[in-house]
Amino acid sequence: MHTAPAPVLDPHADIVELTAAIVDIESVSGNEAALADAVEAALRTHADHLEVIRDGDTVIARTHRGLDRRVLLAGHLDTVPVADNLPSTRRTRAGREELVGRGSCDMKGGVAVFLQLAVEAVTAPVDLTWVFYDHEEVAAADNSLTRIAAEHPDHLSADFAILGEPTSAGVEGGCKGTMKLAVTARGIAAHSARDWVGDNAIHHLAPVLERLAAYEARRAVIDGLEYRECLNAVEISGGIAGNVIPDRATALLNYRFAPDTSVEQAEAHVREVLAGLDLEITITDSAAGALPGLSDPAAADFLAALGEDVTLAAKQGWTDVARFAALGTPAVNFGPGDPLLAHTDDEHVPLTDLRSTREVLGRWLGVTR
Amino acid sequence: MHTAPAPVLDPHADIVELTAAIVDIESVSGNEAALADAVEAALRTHADHLEVIRDGDTVIARTHRGLDRRVLLAGHLDTVPVADNLPSTRRTRAGREELVGRGSCDMKGGVAVFLQLAVEAVTAPVDLTWVFYDHEEVAAADNSLTRIAAEHPDHLSADFAILGEPTSAGVEGGCKGTMKLAVTARGIAAHSARDWVGDNAIHHLAPVLERLAAYEARRAVIDGLEYRECLNAVEISGGIAGNVIPDRATALLNYRFAPDTSVEQAEAHVREVLAGLDLEITITDSAAGALPGLSDPAAADFLAALGEDVTLAAKQGWTDVARFAALGTPAVNFGPGDPLLAHTDDEHVPLTDLRSTREVLGRWLGVTR
């Protein structure tokens, strides 16, 4: 029983209006169906030049013009939970116009730009694959790209990929890898008034924190982009009761490593940093980074088409570009919005970011409007 | 509507039987009424020589024989929650007979010995005050000794006090003080892939743990008893999310200090240990210790009456003897049961402890049975 009509998206609308319409279709991870329906309908209605594939709540649209190269442009439809910040609003702050609301920055601005250009880029210099996917803001195993890469890797094959994650409308190449390690020290429990019969596990973490505090992180320059590594304790816990010497304490470490380093090399490095300490070290999560691959011809063409105002930098945070790198496809991040605003309650996107991203990509893809 | 008859205690029963009967009257903190009723009834029925005062669920019984000195003997009626270990059972393990059940060790063995001697010690060399009190196993503010010390300090006045807490039937003099301090380091939150714009608060705890790990605790010898100090992190916490540099991390420290040290001196000492570090230090809990006062004439008489088998040591853990010390009364701990078994699911008391405690105290108090 649907009492409200299904939302309709007009891909030819002004890019700000289109972004607002997409933001206003709530799509917290797991609830992407309505937005996927609207995206699919817009593509089927307005883009005869595209093959449209619906796979779960992911929508893939492709040209088949027999061109030499294929570029994939991908954006996720889902958002983190709403924080009383829907529907979207508009405001002007310090002379800057902004669209405010959950998903405006991460990453419905990018989705709007891609949806509009999917419909309008009919004479692009390359074949195009547009991917609007679900479950990005949750566990990697649930990300629909995981399923599609396994079941239909051909759907994702391309010479170059652009991910519409927020980059403040600059290009951010590749991404660093990430690894989480649980580092546990053991001791012997005892009453805290008789510590000499015990062995304090929290105290055994002293040299771990000491080494992390003194750690000098590597800066790797790849294709002219600087990836700064980071090694940190992101969580620490231990303690049984206020009168007990704890027999166990754990620090959760997060190592962000340059994309020239494999997961195996990353693990070996952290173990070397902690060498000689009596600890249990368990990797709880890891993902390789992505090399920027800017010298690849398809990437070089894209960079050449950018105006002088577009900045070029390394992507420090891990993004789904690493999934494309794992498939052998060099990839960059390029999208409207400040990545530091992603997931915040005050999530917003400057209207100039929406317009410039649309303009730069459109120019490259031969859209003259 | 009482459907079961109120339990009746026979203070002349064998000390093991009496202890079992007391253990079998469940009296988790807040539920001491039935046991207090039974203790009060036993005293009123069997001890004409005592003035009996009922104050809440505390029962106080006193002689008024006009003797030079007054000794107070106190035991709490309450226990920590039952762990499927009631009613009590008997067993023999490794040739040792034991009474098993919640409260058997902490501290209904002591209560049974005191109840029996309260009735039978009619010709003691000192005037006696027996205190059976409630709410010991909960917050200090709820302990009935707190209320009675404020409302009727005369009820607790004595020259010497004996607390029946488990000491494996040895005498443990005085007790150490205790202080808890929350030690918080501040930093600046940031994404863990861009730690250079943040400041990791967990890493700032490195020198705290380092100093605690290297800490050489003082051993204070007072009246021939050695109080070993302890300074430990008993809890540590910090962390916002696996991809965030935390802006706050806290270690909870527990300092156990010798009874020659005041709370103020203890605080100053911990601050000195942590001197020069940028930390917020908050005392969350503190209680002074108790000097053993063994050279006091009343204490000396008691010690002189002990047999050679009774050991004498410092009490390392904090107990209510500190409350008597605060009232100017030297105090020792003396009771059946291993203090390390208190609060455990396998709580039990050796029958030899019950008998020897009864025997030693009875000899001193002139009970010949």
Side-chain angles (χ1 to χ4, degrees), chain A residues 274-346:
Chain A
L274 300 177
L277 303 179
D278 187 14
L279 302 165
E280 293 164 22
I281 301 175
T282 310
I283 296 178
T284 60
D285 188 26
S286 70
L291 289 164
L294 299 184
S295 54
D296 184 273
D301 279 2
F302 167 68
L303 292 176
L306 299 179
E308 296 203 344
D309 292 344
V310 180
T311 58
L312 177 59
K315 184 70 176 177
Q316 303 297 341
W318 193 92
T319 73
D320 276 336
V321 295
R323 298 175 176 277
F324 298 108
L327 294 170
T329 309
V332 298
N333 304 273
F334 180 62
D338 179 347
L340 296 178
L341 293 173
H343 304 191
T344 66
D345 291 356
D346 187 41

Side-chain angles (χ1 to χ4, degrees), chain A residues 176 192-193 195 200 232-233 236 254, chain B residues 176 192-193 195 200 232 238 254:
Chain A
K176 289 190 298 207
S192 65
D195 65 3
N200 194 321
N232 282 277
I236 193 164
N254 186 204
Chain B
K176 289 190 299 205
S192 64
D195 65 2
N200 194 321
N232 282 277
N254 186 204

Side-chain angles (χ1 to χ4, degrees), chain B:
Chain B
M1 276 210 330
H2 291 280
T3 51
V8 173
L9 296 172
D10 173 10
H12 297 298
D14 171 76
I15 190 62
V16 176
E17 299 303 326
L18 179 57
T19 303
I22 292 174
V23 168
D24 290 342
I25 304 175
E26 183 264 288
S27 59
V28 174
S29 306
N31 194 33
E32 298 94 334
L35 179 54
D37 288 349
V39 167
E40 180 186 1
L43 291 167
R44 291 196 191 278
T45 306
H46 298 278
D48 287 345
H49 64 292
L50 294 173
E51 174 201 20
V52 178
I53 302 167
R54 174 72 178 248
D55 184 333
D57 283 333
T58 290
V59 182
I60 298 172
R62 298 190 288 193
T63 62
H64 293 286
R65 297 167 53 221
L67 299 174
D68 285 348
R69 295 186 195 131
R70 175 173 293 279
V71 173
L72 180 148
L73 298 99
H76 62 83
L77 298 174
D78 60 322
T79 70
V80 296
V82 178
D84 202 21
N85 53 359
L86 280 187
S88 62
T89 55
R90 298 269 289 265
R91 72 181 176 202
T92 302
R93 270 203 320 185
R96 191 172 86 157
E97 289 181 292
E98 298 168 347
L99 176 70
V100 185
R102 173 61 72 228
S104 57
C105 171
D106 186 11
M107 56 165 281
K108 291 183 169 181
V111 167
V113 170
F114 288 0
L115 179 61
Q116 182 159 93
L117 293 176
V119 169
E120 299 189 353
V122 294
T123 61
V126 289
D127 264 314
L128 297 168
T129 299
W130 306 90
V131 179
F132 303 93
Y133 64 104
D134 58 290
H135 283 86
E136 192 269 351
E137 298 288 7
V138 286
D142 295 329
N143 186 314
S144 65
L145 291 184
T146 304
R147 185 186 74 246
I148 294 168
E151 294 176 3
H152 303 287
D154 55 304
H155 288 179
L156 302 179
S157 75
D159 300 293
F160 177 53
I162 299 172
L163 191 67
E165 287 280 357
T167 58
S168 291
V171 173
E172 296 188 350
C175 75
K176 289 190 299 205
T178 182
M179 173 172 287
K180 293 200 182 114
L181 307 99
V183 172
T184 297
R186 299 280 179 178
I188 299 167
H191 195 286
S192 64
R194 289 181 289 269
D195 65 2
W196 57 91
V197 300
D199 180 25
N200 194 321
I202 292 176
H203 295 187
H204 288 315
L205 290 182
V208 175
L209 298 191
E210 220 180 313
R211 293 184 190 188
L212 293 175
Y215 183 74
E216 302 249 2
R218 185 170 78 104
R219 297 174 179 218
V221 177
I222 303 167
D223 285 358
L225 307 184
E226 185 185 62
Y227 296 88
R228 291 181 66 166
E229 297 199 337
C230 306
L231 178 59
N232 282 277
V234 288
E235 193 185 303
I236 193 163
S237 62
I240 296 167
N243 61 351
V244 177
I245 303 297
D247 60 356
R248 183 194 162 97
T250 298
L252 184 66
L253 272 47
N254 186 204
Y255 180 36
R256 301 286 183 143
F257 49 96
D260 60 353
T261 301
S262 69
V263 164
E264 293 69 29
Q265 289 169 325
E267 176 182 354
H269 177 66
V270 177
R271 288 187 181 277
E272 193 182 305
V273 169
L274 300 176
L277 304 179
D278 188 14
L279 301 165
E280 294 165 22
I281 300 174
T282 310
I283 296 178
T284 61
D285 189 26
S286 70
L291 289 165
L294 300 184
S295 54
D296 184 274
D301 279 2
F302 167 68
L303 293 175
L306 298 179
E308 294 203 344
D309 293 343
V310 180
T311 60
L312 176 60
K315 184 71 177 177
Q316 303 295 342
W318 193 93
T319 73
D320 275 336
V321 293
R323 297 174 178 277
F324 298 109
L327 295 169
T329 309
V332 298
N333 304 273
F334 181 62
D338 180 347
L340 296 178
L341 293 173
H343 304 194
T344 65
D345 291 357
D346 188 41
E347 180 172 354
H348 60 266
V349 63
L351 303 193
T352 51
D353 274 20
L354 295 172
R355 294 183 180 123
S356 73
T357 314
R358 159 73 180 72
E359 159 66 20
V360 166
L361 278 177
R363 188 194 316 147
W364 172 51
L365 295 176
V367 178
T368 49
R369 182 178 82 129

Side-chain angles (χ1 to χ4, degrees), chain A residues 207-217 231 273, chain B residues 203 206:
Chain A
V208 175
L209 299 190
E210 220 180 312
R211 292 185 190 188
L212 293 175
Y215 183 74
E216 301 249 0
L231 178 58
V273 170
Chain B
H203 295 187

